[in-house]
Amino acid sequence: MIIPVRCFSCGKVVGDLWEPYLRLLEESGGDHAGEALDQVGCKRYCCRRMLMTHVDLIEKLLLYNPGSGDKDKHLPDLRQ
């Protein structure tokens, strides 16, 4: 979904490192993830885990907007 703001283990702020990390990965072709983490200042292994294992699903979830598209494809409204 959205990158967590803080590391789950140590509490360090890692949310602001996500975009620079992605930019460095694109520049290197995705081959040097460890070096990109070093360059953005992510030294602890727990924080590195937060960035390396994050899966950005927000763009995929936006495709399933229940307010648009064909009404027959949506789940029934169970609110009563």
Side-chain angles (χ1 to χ4, degrees):
M1 298 293 274
I2 302 172
I3 185 74
V5 175
R6 293 189 177 269
C7 175
F8 295 151
S9 299
C10 68
K12 181 183 178 204
V13 176
V14 295
D16 61 338
L17 303 176
W18 180 247
E19 289 182 12
Y21 171 66
L22 287 181
R23 189 172 39 254
L24 288 169
L25 276 182
E26 287 177 6
E27 291 173 3
S28 70
D31 296 333
H32 305 286
E35 292 176 12
L37 288 169
D38 290 339
Q39 289 179 4
V40 297
C42 190
K43 303 289 183 194
R44 299 176 184 155
Y45 66 90
C46 57
C47 300
R48 292 169 81 92
R49 173 219 39 193
M50 296 294 292
L51 293 174
M52 291 185 78
T53 61
H54 176 69
V55 179
D56 200 16
L57 294 175
I58 193 71
E59 296 298 324
K60 292 182 182 179
L61 288 175
L62 289 175
L63 296 175
Y64 300 103
N65 184 0
S68 65
D70 190 9
K71 300 279 185 194
D72 296 333
K73 292 182 182 179
H74 300 298
L75 296 174
D77 189 11
L78 300 176
R79 295 176 282 165
Q80 293 180 356

